[in-house]
């Protein structure tokens, strides 16, 4: 019983157990949809079902939006990597001058 009442120390910056890369809370078995999956999705038709052409047009539109979102994410990641690289270079150039200033005090 004592073991149940003990609280575990919290780990800083630990990801929740079901978190996906990128920070969204999803199960590990969840895989995001890709545009081709949306475009290729087919539904069973019923007697009073939906218009197949309208459904296909909508799925194509959703897939296009999804492709644009993925492209923007990739562009953003590239820009982030470029900025991080530039910051590291700047910090490397500044490090010697900061050490000189610290030594003079």
């Amino acid at each position: 019983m004592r073991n149940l009442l003990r609280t575990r120390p919290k780990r800083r910056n630990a990801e929740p157990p079901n978190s996906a890369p990128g920070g969204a809370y999803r199960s590990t078995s969840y895989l995001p949809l890709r545009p081709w999956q949306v475009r290729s999705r087919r539904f069973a038709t019923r007697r009073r079902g939906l218009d197949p052409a309208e459904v296909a047009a909508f799925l194509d539109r959703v897939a296009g939006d999804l492709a644009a979102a993925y492209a923007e994410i990739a562009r953003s990641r590239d820009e982030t990597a470029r900025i991080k690289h530039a910051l590291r270079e700047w910090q490397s150039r500044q490090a010697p001058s900061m050490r000189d200033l610290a030594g003079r005090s």
Side-chain angles (χ1 to χ4, degrees):
M1 185 70 162
R2 274 187 233 145
N3 290 338
L4 293 175
L5 296 177
R6 285 186 195 163
T7 59
R8 293 171 139 185
K10 290 185 180 181
R11 293 185 298 166
R12 288 191 109 144
N13 298 328
E15 288 189 20
N18 291 336
S19 68
Y25 290 95
R26 295 189 176 131
S27 72
T28 55
S29 63
Y30 176 87
L31 296 175
L33 285 174
R34 297 293 178 193
W36 66 267
Q37 291 172 312
V38 174
R39 281 191 183 101
S40 66
R41 179 73 165 107
R42 299 292 172 249
F43 299 93
T45 55
R46 300 282 184 240
R47 186 173 177 183
R48 295 183 185 207
L50 301 173
D51 178 18
E54 192 176 345
V55 171
F58 179 76
L59 289 177
D60 195 45
R61 181 178 171 191
V62 170
D65 289 349
L66 194 56
Y70 282 132
E72 182 62 25
I73 289 170
R75 188 200 61 74
S76 177
R77 285 183 179 154
D78 289 345
E79 183 180 1
T80 299
R82 183 186 59 78
I83 291 170
K84 284 181 179 180
H85 179 71
L87 177 61
R88 285 187 193 112
E89 285 183 359
W90 180 84
Q91 287 173 329
S92 295
R93 287 191 309 267
Q94 297 300 315
S97 63
M98 295 306 254
R99 276 189 241 123
D100 292 342
L101 287 174
R104 292 180 190 166
S105 297

